[in-house]
Amino acid sequence: MSLQGRVAIVTGAAQGIGRAIAEALAQAGADIVVADLDPSRSLETVKAIEALGRKALNVKVNVADANDAKAMAEQVIKAWGKIDILVNNAGITRDGAFHKMTLEQWNAVINTNLGSLFNMTRQVIEGMRERKFGRIVNI
C-alpha cells in the first residue's frame, strides 16, 4: 500500500512500537510527525525516517493536555497543510502495587493512555471528514 503524499502523526514515536510504526509508515511513503513529550528522545527516529527519503517533523507534545494537542495539530497543519493519519501510541505506566498507587499516578496513566485518544483525535477528525479521507489507529 502506498502512502505517498500522506501525512501521519505517530504519538510516542521516540522508541519501541511507536518508532517501528513511524518507520513503517515512512517506508510506505508517508511523511511523519514524530510526536513525543521529549523531542530530544526522537532524534534517532527522525534520522531513520529521513534516511528513507521521507520528511520528518519532530514535535513536542503532552498528549494528556488538550491545549498542547491542539497547538501541535495547528503546527502540523501550518507546516504540511493536512493530517491524514493519526496513530495514538503514546502511553505510560506507573507500575507498582495498587494499594501504593497515588491518585496523581492513577490520573497520569488515565490522562495519558486514554484522555490522549480524545485530545489527539478531536484535533484531526474534522479535517479528515472534510477531505473524506483519514485513518486513526488507537494502540
Side-chain angles (χ1 to χ4, degrees), residues 28 52 101 106 112:
L52 293 168
M101 183 177 255
W106 175 259
T112 301

Side-chain angles (χ1 to χ4, degrees), residues 11-12 35-37 41 61-66 69 87-94 104-120 138-139:
T11 66
D36 201 85
L37 187 58
R41 296 184 326 160
V61 62
N62 177 358
V63 294
D65 182 304
V87 179
N88 286 309
N89 172 70
I92 62 170
T93 59
R94 296 295 182 257
E104 290 77 24
Q105 290 170 321
W106 175 259
N107 285 334
V109 170
I110 295 299
N111 290 337
T112 301
N113 297 3
L114 296 178
S116 65
L117 300 180
F118 178 84
N119 295 340
M120 291 302 303
N138 298 316
I139 298 177

Side-chain angles (χ1 to χ4, degrees), residues 116-134:
S116 65
L117 300 180
F118 178 84
N119 295 340
M120 291 302 303
T121 301
R122 192 68 198 101
Q123 303 311 314
V124 303
I125 193 76
E126 292 307 321
M128 290 176 175
R129 290 182 56 165
E130 288 171 11
R131 287 187 311 282
K132 297 185 180 357
F133 181 89

Side-chain angles (χ1 to χ4, degrees), residues 48-81:
I49 291 164
E50 290 173 343
L52 293 168
R54 304 309 314 156
K55 292 187 285 184
L57 182 63
N58 192 10
V59 297
K60 177 182 180 174
V61 62
N62 177 358
V63 294
D65 182 304
N67 291 326
D68 216 29
K70 180 178 181 184
M72 191 269 305
E74 289 171 351
Q75 178 184 353
V76 173
I77 297 293
K78 184 175 180 180
W80 290 350

